[in-house]
Amino acid sequence: MTPENRSSSNNPVYAEGLLIRAARIDDSEQLAQLTNLPGFRAGTLRLPYQRPEHTRKWLENQSSDRLNIVAVLDGVIVGQAGLESHSGRRLHAASLGIGVHDDHQNKGIGTALMREVIDAADNWLALKRLELTVYTDNTHAIRLYEKFGFEQEGIRRSFAFKEGRYVDALAMARLKS
């Protein structure tokens, strides 16, 4: 990213006015609203009606091995992404999670979040392997991940109970050479 595309606080700002920054504890209300949206929640293992207090505790208890960023548009959080590094003999790997507001799909927000998470993984955290799990019916997310070099490693049958039935998920990973 060129210097003119960065804000004065070194947070990336995208042409559409999208700001990517670290998640803060005072984001708990907006993050709870985001994760409670039906489309956002459908791609996760979250239960409905997450309380802001639980989100606040989650933010307060983040380990130093976790990167958590948000995408902000016109003062509203419209996306969230994170990396959680593993430990021990898996220090080279991290799990990735990402989600975008239901009303802001297909506007480049997921791409912007992925770009920043991968930059942190490759250039700051020395991670060789990024891994994630995605429901097999989430074709938009799968295409996004493939665009960033993720490959399918396997199918996790009956991975989760979703909308009244058991559904499969893909195990995907990206290896930095």
Side-chain angles (χ1 to χ4, degrees):
M1 181 160 294
T2 61
E4 60 271 8
N5 289 337
R6 294 213 179 251
S7 72
S8 60
S9 62
N10 281 340
N11 292 327
V13 177
Y14 294 86
E16 310 83 30
L18 185 71
L19 171 69
I20 307 291
R21 63 164 172 80
R24 301 185 295 237
I25 293 172
D26 63 353
D27 291 331
S28 60
E29 185 75 37
Q30 282 195 56
L31 280 170
Q33 289 173 3
L34 177 69
T35 59
N36 281 322
L37 293 171
F40 187 106
R41 189 180 64 244
T44 72
L45 292 171
R46 298 175 191 275
L47 294 175
Y49 309 110
Q50 182 172 330
R51 293 183 10 221
E53 299 82 32
H54 290 156
T55 303
R56 183 177 192 79
K57 285 181 185 174
W58 173 75
L59 286 167
E60 288 173 342
N61 294 319
Q62 296 279 312
S63 75
S64 61
D65 294 334
R66 177 137 181 118
L67 173 72
N68 191 1
I69 60 175
V70 293
V72 181
L73 185 62
D74 297 325
V76 177
I77 295 175
V78 293
Q80 182 269 334
L83 284 177
E84 186 164 6
S85 297
H86 297 297
S87 60
R89 292 175 27 186
R90 298 213 62 227
L91 278 173
H92 67 291
S95 296
L96 182 146
I98 183 173
V100 175
H101 191 290
D102 294 12
D103 296 336
H104 294 276
Q105 299 285 320
N106 301 311
K107 295 180 180 177
I109 295 167
T111 297
L113 287 165
M114 286 292 290
R115 188 174 293 127
E116 294 304 317
V117 167
I118 288 175
D119 177 66
D122 290 351
N123 299 312
W124 295 97
L125 301 171
L127 294 171
K128 180 171 180 62
R129 177 182 172 85
L130 297 180
E131 53 197 29
L132 58 86
T133 302
V134 58
Y135 293 120
T136 55
D137 65 352
N138 195 344
T139 56
H140 289 293
I142 293 167
R143 277 197 304 268
L144 174 67
Y145 303 142
E146 288 173 342
K147 180 169 107 173
F148 282 92
F150 283 79
E151 296 179 5
Q152 297 180 20
E153 293 187 324
I155 296 177
R156 301 176 79 180
R157 304 277 179 211
S158 294
F159 175 74
F161 194 72
K162 176 181 166 188
E163 298 174 347
R165 62 188 175 89
Y166 289 98
V167 297
D168 297 343
L170 294 175
M172 298 184 76
R174 173 189 176 269
L175 296 176
K176 183 178 178 190
S177 48

